[in-house]
Amino acid sequence: MGSQALVRVRRPVVGIALAIIVAAVFAGGVAPEAAAAPRTEVGLPLANEANPYEQPVARMVTLLASFTHWPDRPETLRLCLVQPTDHAGGLTSVEFARETGILATSVTPRNVGAMNCQIVYVGRMSIVEQRAVTDAFRDRPALTVAENDPACRSHAMICLLFEADSLSFRLNIDAVSRSRVRIDPRVLRMGMGASQ
């Protein structure tokens, strides 16, 4: 398995913006250990409550996009949601597109390779299917995010980790280094520090 780092970001329930907290974490430099890094807290859903991960996922993807540099960044980034997904509902709203400049499009594993995607969000599928998707974007300027790959075996650059009370992600440094997009060095330093 390649080099990976576990990064956790905390979002207190009282409503402090995730981006502000993460910016403070990144500005502080290298995280000494993965276990010491903060996490995004989410509550367990009640019977009729919406998916508690949708908004944290939307914030996380927005944050990751803000620390990513494309060779020719378009005014509006295209986010391809490779279906089926479990926690991507917050990425599909009109408000999300207007506030972030990221336009989400639902695609299938078969047709995603033909799309011009700057961000590829890989949903719930087998590791073989996930690798087929990430391999299709290996030589293209795209940020790849896996929803259902905690061990990061899909070769996605970012692998989301869902726990009962938190959302975190694993940074796949090998995939980042092979990519045609650049991740802000503060994120890479944080990842390298967390993986030691």
Side-chain angles (χ1 to χ4, degrees):
M1 192 181 315
S3 300
Q4 299 170 9
L6 176 65
V7 178
R8 295 180 186 273
V9 181
R10 179 174 297 276
R11 181 182 60 85
V13 179
V14 293
I16 297 173
L18 172 65
I20 294 170
I21 294 169
V22 172
V25 170
F26 288 161
V30 176
E33 297 180 26
R39 335 177 260 193
T40 298
E41 290 183 352
V42 294
L44 291 173
L46 299 175
N48 295 322
E49 190 177 336
N51 183 329
Y53 295 110
E54 288 184 356
Q55 292 310 310
V57 165
R59 289 185 188 96
M60 186 75 79
V61 170
T62 302
L63 178 75
L64 292 167
S66 73
F67 282 99
T68 303
H69 305 279
W70 286 264
D72 297 307
R73 181 184 171 126
E75 187 173 321
T76 300
L77 295 173
R78 174 174 282 175
L79 166 64
C80 292
L81 299 171
V82 187
Q83 300 291 342
T85 61
D86 292 325
H87 307 297
L91 299 168
T92 60
S93 72
V94 173
E95 293 80 19
F96 175 80
R98 185 176 60 246
E99 292 171 7
T100 64
I102 300 172
L103 181 62
T105 304
S106 293
V107 296
T108 66
R110 288 186 178 193
N111 68 3
V112 68
M115 305 297 288
N116 181 23
C117 311
Q118 286 77 43
I119 306 169
V120 181
Y121 185 96
V122 184
R124 180 178 25 89
M125 58 193 72
S126 72
I127 293 299
V128 171
E129 291 171 309
Q130 290 181 53
R131 281 187 181 169
V133 172
T134 58
D135 287 349
F137 287 89
R138 181 173 292 176
D139 297 322
R140 295 161 65 179
L143 172 68
T144 53
V145 179
E147 179 182 84
N148 188 33
D149 181 23
C152 237
R153 296 178 297 150
S154 64
H155 304 155
M157 296 165 67
I158 304 292
C159 301
L160 300 179
L161 304 173
F162 297 92
E163 299 173 31
D165 64 347
S166 67
L167 168 65
S168 56
F169 69 91
R170 199 177 292 276
L171 177 69
N172 186 333
I173 297 170
D174 288 344
V176 170
S177 67
R178 290 191 305 265
S179 173
R180 291 192 49 215
V181 297
R182 289 185 302 112
I183 304 291
D184 189 293
R186 290 173 290 177
V187 179
L188 298 179
R189 283 196 304 269
M190 183 179 194
M192 285 184 232
S195 65
Q196 293 175 353

